[in-house]
Amino acid sequence: MKIEEMTAAHVDGVCALENACFVHPWSRQSVESELDNPQSVFYVAVENGAVIGYIGMSFVLDEGYVYNVAVGEAFRKKGVGSALLRSLVTYCQKHDFAFLTLEVRESNAAARSLYAHFGFVKVGERKDFYTEPTENAVLMTLYF
């Protein structure tokens, strides 16, 4: 597996993961628009030419906001999510970010554990943030 910056060649794979992993996936147009967005960074995990995971964030000045993290079901618990998150954290460190923040489903213990391992701390909640099913979001932030 290798981690690469997302290019047009990865869009189909990212869209496939969006559709497989999220109830309300991003449209192809939304994914493609991030390729030309100077205020965002997207990384993909690629194995044998296929996108098996991705992570993306937007940023304003020195503040990073994670959009989505997705790993194909067959590749979970194999270090893909960690490798993707490490790439984003490294980017933030190299660019002197103050923090990186995200929302995660309250019930997603695996993701919350991964983020905590990287030093993210719970900073709040958003009641009923998610739908299908309705669930609170836990806000987690990594301070640099």
Side-chain angles (χ1 to χ4, degrees):
M1 168 193 62
K2 63 182 184 171
I3 305 298
E4 306 172 356
E5 284 193 48
M6 183 176 75
T7 67
H10 301 120
V11 170
D12 286 342
V14 169
C15 288
L17 281 173
E18 273 289 311
N19 288 312
C21 297
F22 300 111
V23 175
H24 301 287
W26 282 25
S27 68
R28 180 181 185 84
Q29 181 180 358
S30 293
V31 173
E32 286 176 331
S33 71
E34 294 304 317
L35 293 170
D36 298 319
N37 183 350
Q39 298 301 119
S40 72
V41 175
F42 276 72
Y43 290 105
V44 293
V46 178
E47 187 168 275
N48 298 322
V51 175
I52 61 170
Y54 85 93
I55 191 168
M57 75 164 182
S58 66
F59 59 89
V60 177
L61 301 173
D62 63 351
E63 303 172 0
Y65 301 90
V66 175
Y67 282 136
N68 281 337
V69 181
V71 176
E73 192 170 351
F75 299 95
R76 293 179 188 160
K77 300 187 191 274
K78 296 182 179 180
V80 177
S82 290
L84 287 164
L85 190 55
R86 188 174 305 108
S87 295
L88 207 58
V89 167
T90 299
Y91 178 94
C92 293
Q93 290 169 327
K94 285 182 180 177
H95 292 87
D96 295 322
F97 277 42
F99 65 82
L100 179 62
T101 194
L102 54 82
E103 295 108 358
V104 59
R105 280 187 180 270
E106 195 169 47
S107 66
N108 192 341
R112 290 176 63 186
S113 175
L114 171 66
Y115 302 139
H117 176 76
F118 274 84
F120 284 78
V121 294
K122 179 179 176 180
V123 295
E125 289 185 12
R126 291 197 172 133
K127 185 159 178 57
D128 300 336
F129 181 77
Y130 293 104
T131 60
E132 299 181 52
T134 300
E135 187 173 354
N136 294 345
V138 175
L139 299 170
M140 298 183 77
T141 300
L142 172 62
Y143 296 97
F144 297 103

